[in-house]
Structures are given as structure tokens and as C-alpha cells.
Amino acid sequence: MRTNLSGRIAAVLVGLEGLGLAALTVREIVAIVSGDTGSIESAIALAVLTLVGAAAVIAFAFAIWRGQSWGRSGGIVTQLLILAVALGAATGAFADPAAALALAAPAVVVLVLLVLAVRDAGRAARRQRDEESDGQAPGGA
């Protein structure tokens, strides 16, 4: 299935989010190597989980680019998780509204693009189904 413009833009932006997570993984590894951690076990676990998350988000980006629905679904879940983190950054004892906005604004843009891509993919699938059913012989034979 051919991906529309909103899907292509969303794929690029989700890919950039994945690369951001990969960069965060590198930063965590540097902290581990330099001894700048409170608990080495927790730091290693966090680095591994961040790397797994980066791989998943990058996989979502490739799937979105190829027009696969699981990539769009994963991208939407990713944006909702980012928005949850942004909400956490905006509230609490150590609230940082600027950081929350920096997280939330791109997530909202990507979420809107992904919803548009889902809508367009649904339209394309219905159009393809209608074209296929128009080409069938009467009686379904």
C-alpha cells in the first residue's frame, strides 16, 4: 500500500524520535562507563530498556513509511506515552513547564499526522475493496 504525505512526514518524525532514544542510550552508556551512576544494575537495565525502546520506535517509523498499520498503531501509542511523560514533567515538585512543552508539542503534531494517515489508509482500503468487488462477475463467481 502506498503511504500518503501525512504518513511519510509522520514516519520521518517518528524515526527522529527513535534516533533521539538511541542518543539517550549512548548518553546512558557514557554515564555507566564514567561511573556516574548510583546503581550500576539499574543503570544497565535502563540503558537496555532504552535501547529496546529505540529499536521499537525506529521499527515503527519504517513500518509507517511502508504503509503498514502496525507501525501507525505503535506510533500512536508512542505519542501517547510521550504525552504522559510531558504531563509528568509539567506537574509535581520538580515541574518544568518548558520541558513539558518541548515534549508535548512535537508529540501532538505527530499524533495528528498519524491519525490523518490512518484515516487515509482506511479510505484507500475501502476504495481498493470497492474496485475489486466491481470487477467480480455477477453471482460472485
Side-chain angles (χ1 to χ4, degrees), residues 7 9-10 13-14 17 24 48 74 82 105 133:
I9 295 170
L13 294 175
V14 170
E17 290 171 345
L24 183 59
V48 169
I82 292 170
S133 65

CSV table of all heavy atoms in Angstrom, one decimal, residues 7 9-10 13-14 17 24 48 74 82 105 133:
chain,number,residue,atom,x,y,z
A,7,GLY,N,1.5,10.4,6.2
A,7,GLY,CA,2.2,9.2,6.7
A,7,GLY,C,3.7,9.3,6.6
A,7,GLY,O,4.5,8.9,7.4
A,9,ILE,N,5.6,12.0,6.4
A,9,ILE,CA,6.1,13.0,7.4
A,9,ILE,C,6.1,12.4,8.8
A,9,ILE,O,7.1,12.6,9.5
A,9,ILE,CB,5.3,14.3,7.3
A,9,ILE,CG1,5.4,15.0,6.0
A,9,ILE,CG2,5.7,15.3,8.5
A,9,ILE,CD1,4.5,16.2,5.7
A,10,ALA,N,5.0,11.7,9.1
A,10,ALA,CA,5.0,11.1,10.5
A,10,ALA,C,6.1,10.1,10.6
A,10,ALA,O,6.7,9.9,11.6
A,10,ALA,CB,3.6,10.4,10.7
A,13,LEU,N,9.3,11.8,11.4
A,13,LEU,CA,9.3,12.4,12.7
A,13,LEU,C,9.4,11.3,13.8
A,13,LEU,O,10.2,11.4,14.7
A,13,LEU,CB,8.1,13.2,13.0
A,13,LEU,CG,8.0,14.5,12.1
A,13,LEU,CD1,6.7,15.2,12.3
A,13,LEU,CD2,9.2,15.4,12.4
A,14,VAL,N,8.7,10.2,13.6
A,14,VAL,CA,8.8,9.0,14.5
A,14,VAL,C,10.3,8.5,14.4
A,14,VAL,O,10.9,8.1,15.4
A,14,VAL,CB,7.8,7.9,14.2
A,14,VAL,CG1,8.0,6.7,14.9
A,14,VAL,CG2,6.4,8.5,14.5
A,17,GLU,N,12.4,10.6,16.5
A,17,GLU,CA,12.2,10.2,17.9
A,17,GLU,C,13.0,9.0,18.3
A,17,GLU,O,13.6,8.9,19.4
A,17,GLU,CB,10.7,10.0,18.2
A,17,GLU,CG,9.9,11.3,18.2
A,17,GLU,CD,8.4,11.0,18.2
A,17,GLU,OE1,7.9,9.9,18.0
A,17,GLU,OE2,7.7,12.0,18.5
A,24,LEU,N,20.0,8.9,23.6
A,24,LEU,CA,19.8,8.8,25.0
A,24,LEU,C,20.5,7.6,25.6
A,24,LEU,O,21.1,7.6,26.6
A,24,LEU,CB,18.4,8.9,25.4
A,24,LEU,CG,18.0,8.9,26.9
A,24,LEU,CD1,18.7,10.1,27.6
A,24,LEU,CD2,16.5,8.8,27.1
A,48,VAL,N,19.5,-0.8,28.6
A,48,VAL,CA,19.0,-1.9,27.8
A,48,VAL,C,17.5,-1.6,27.4
A,48,VAL,O,17.1,-1.7,26.2
A,48,VAL,CB,19.1,-3.2,28.5
A,48,VAL,CG1,18.3,-4.3,27.8
A,48,VAL,CG2,20.5,-3.6,28.6
A,74,GLY,N,1.6,1.5,16.6
A,74,GLY,CA,2.8,1.7,17.5
A,74,GLY,C,3.2,3.1,17.6
A,74,GLY,O,3.5,3.6,18.7
A,82,ILE,N,4.6,9.6,25.2
A,82,ILE,CA,5.4,10.9,25.2
A,82,ILE,C,4.5,12.0,25.9
A,82,ILE,O,5.0,12.7,26.8
A,82,ILE,CB,5.9,11.3,23.9
A,82,ILE,CG1,6.9,10.4,23.3
A,82,ILE,CG2,6.4,12.8,23.9
A,82,ILE,CD1,7.3,10.6,21.9
A,105,ALA,N,4.6,19.3,22.4
A,105,ALA,CA,4.3,19.9,21.1
A,105,ALA,C,4.6,19.0,19.9
A,105,ALA,O,3.7,18.8,19.0
A,105,ALA,CB,5.0,21.2,20.9
A,133,SER,N,-14.5,-5.5,-5.9
A,133,SER,CA,-15.8,-6.0,-5.9
A,133,SER,C,-16.6,-5.6,-7.2
A,133,SER,O,-17.4,-6.4,-7.7
A,133,SER,CB,-16.7,-5.6,-4.7
A,133,SER,OG,-16.9,-4.2,-4.7
